[in-house]
Amino acid sequence: MVKYQASRMDRTFSALSDPTRRAVLLRLKEKPGLSVSELARPFSLKLPGMMKHLDVLSDAGLITRAKTGRTVSVHLSVRPMREAMAWLKRYESLWTVSLDRLVALVEEDGER
Amino acid sequence: MTRNLPSVTIVRKIKASPARVWAAITQPKQMMQWWGPDAGPTLRAEADVRPGGRFSVVFRLLNGEEHNPTGVYQEVVPEKKLVFTWDLPGISEPESLVTFLLEPIAGGTRLTLRHEHLPDEEARKSHEHGWSGLLDKLPIFLEAFLGVAE
């Protein structure tokens, strides 16, 4: 089983809970390496506002930023999302199978 | 109660009474007959079903791995609601909470199971890490995202 760092997954989930930040990630998926101002443009966000969102995404390990000269380019990092997905999938499959068996058990023998 | 935590929710309609389902989810002998993620055996089940009481289940997967989820009952409303924390010793997992809701319906019971991830201490204290978004859409987002990003 994969080991998780609880607090990092919290940061991942919390970072993903905001629609603007999810939109930023989608945009970066289409266009890797966008600069901060290019990212901010379609969201009608001022730069400091965008920087704040990027800080949250960066704390959660969802993006990395690289400085070239005076431009900061932003890249995706999908590993935390894979871990979050694995958490959801794992419990979905645990309970789906368990509940199948539970239903079979209680329906089979009727009332006791 | 409006919680928007990342969670897994499963709903089942069961042709058995809430009393019957309640027995299956709270009596160790019966818990052993269904609890586990594959066809591997459930080896042990203990349940002290009262608020603050503990449960412990050991199951072995078909691949031989054994797991021992444990937790503490938070809410116990016979034949209606069972809430407990979920902990997997030895695995540094985020804290989570499991809720069984039983509702009588014509011909049986509607069972709603929710397994939700809980924010840790650090996240609870921090304003920056609020749980305000619509996280029930998260699995869809992640699936769409990762499906193409691979």
Side-chain angles (χ1 to χ4, degrees):
Chain A
M1 257 188 196
V2 187
K3 300 215 171 191
Y4 295 95
Q5 282 193 328
S7 59
R8 191 178 71 196
M9 189 134 89
D10 275 327
R11 286 198 288 273
T12 306
F13 278 133
S14 146
L16 291 171
S17 72
D18 180 271
T20 303
R21 290 196 287 268
R22 288 203 295 265
V24 166
L25 294 173
L26 284 170
R27 195 128 189 277
L28 282 172
K29 193 177 84 173
E30 277 164 32
K31 297 188 173 162
L34 280 181
S35 72
V36 176
S37 50
E38 284 169 326
L39 264 177
R41 209 170 294 143
F43 295 106
S44 59
L45 265 176
K46 297 223 160 60
L47 270 186
M50 179 50 73
M51 290 304 284
K52 228 179 149 189
H53 282 306
L54 293 181
D55 285 344
V56 175
L57 288 170
S58 176
D59 282 350
L62 290 162
I63 58 162
T64 55
R65 287 177 282 196
K67 205 168 180 184
T68 333
R70 300 178 64 181
T71 316
V72 175
S73 62
V74 186
H75 290 268
L76 270 182
S77 165
V78 294
R79 199 176 145 220
M81 276 191 271
R82 280 209 198 100
E83 288 179 356
M85 192 71 210
W87 186 89
L88 292 164
K89 286 275 169 214
R90 179 132 56 90
Y91 284 115
E92 192 182 9
S93 95
L94 163 68
W95 290 117
T96 300
V97 176
S98 293
L99 291 185
D100 283 349
R101 293 165 70 187
L102 170 69
V103 171
L105 171 73
V106 298
E107 288 189 347
E108 163 193 297
D109 62 7
E111 295 297 316
R112 265 188 192 164
Chain B
M1 187 179 68
T2 40
R3 276 190 295 205
N4 289 308
L5 300 170
S7 63
V8 171
T9 302
I10 300 171
V11 181
R12 291 290 166 87
K13 286 179 184 168
I14 305 176
K15 292 190 214 84
S17 68
R20 178 69 194 90
V21 178
W22 182 260
I25 63 175
T26 54
Q27 292 177 12
K29 244 186 178 166
Q30 297 193 37
M31 288 161 71
M32 288 184 62
Q33 294 182 57
W34 60 269
W35 197 309
D38 64 20
T42 307
L43 304 173
R44 208 169 67 228
E46 290 158 27
D48 179 11
V49 188
R50 58 193 165 90
R54 298 192 65 85
F55 84 94
S56 167
V57 174
V58 179
F59 53 79
R60 186 186 297 143
L61 305 180
L62 290 175
N63 69 10
E65 270 183 54
E66 280 184 19
H67 293 287
N68 174 209
T70 64
V72 177
Y73 291 104
Q74 306 291 305
E75 237 186 297
V76 178
V77 186
E79 300 177 23
K80 290 198 172 89
K81 191 178 188 188
L82 187 65
V83 183
F84 50 89
T85 58
W86 176 272
D87 188 28
L88 275 174
I91 295 179
S92 153
E93 270 241 329
E95 200 185 338
S96 59
L97 191 73
V98 177
T99 302
F100 279 87
L101 274 182
L102 308 181
E103 298 159 88
I105 52 169
T109 306
R110 177 169 44 233
L111 182 154
T112 306
L113 178 132
R114 191 170 58 222
H115 193 133
E116 57 198 327
H117 168 84
L118 294 175
D120 67 10
E121 198 63 26
E122 186 197 344
R124 270 191 285 255
K125 277 190 241 157
S126 161
H127 294 299
E128 198 55 57
H129 295 129
W131 298 80
S132 52
L134 285 168
L135 283 160
D136 54 343
K137 295 204 179 98
L138 194 56
I140 300 160
F141 173 80
L142 286 172
E143 218 152 280
F145 199 96
L146 295 171
V148 194
E150 291 291 324

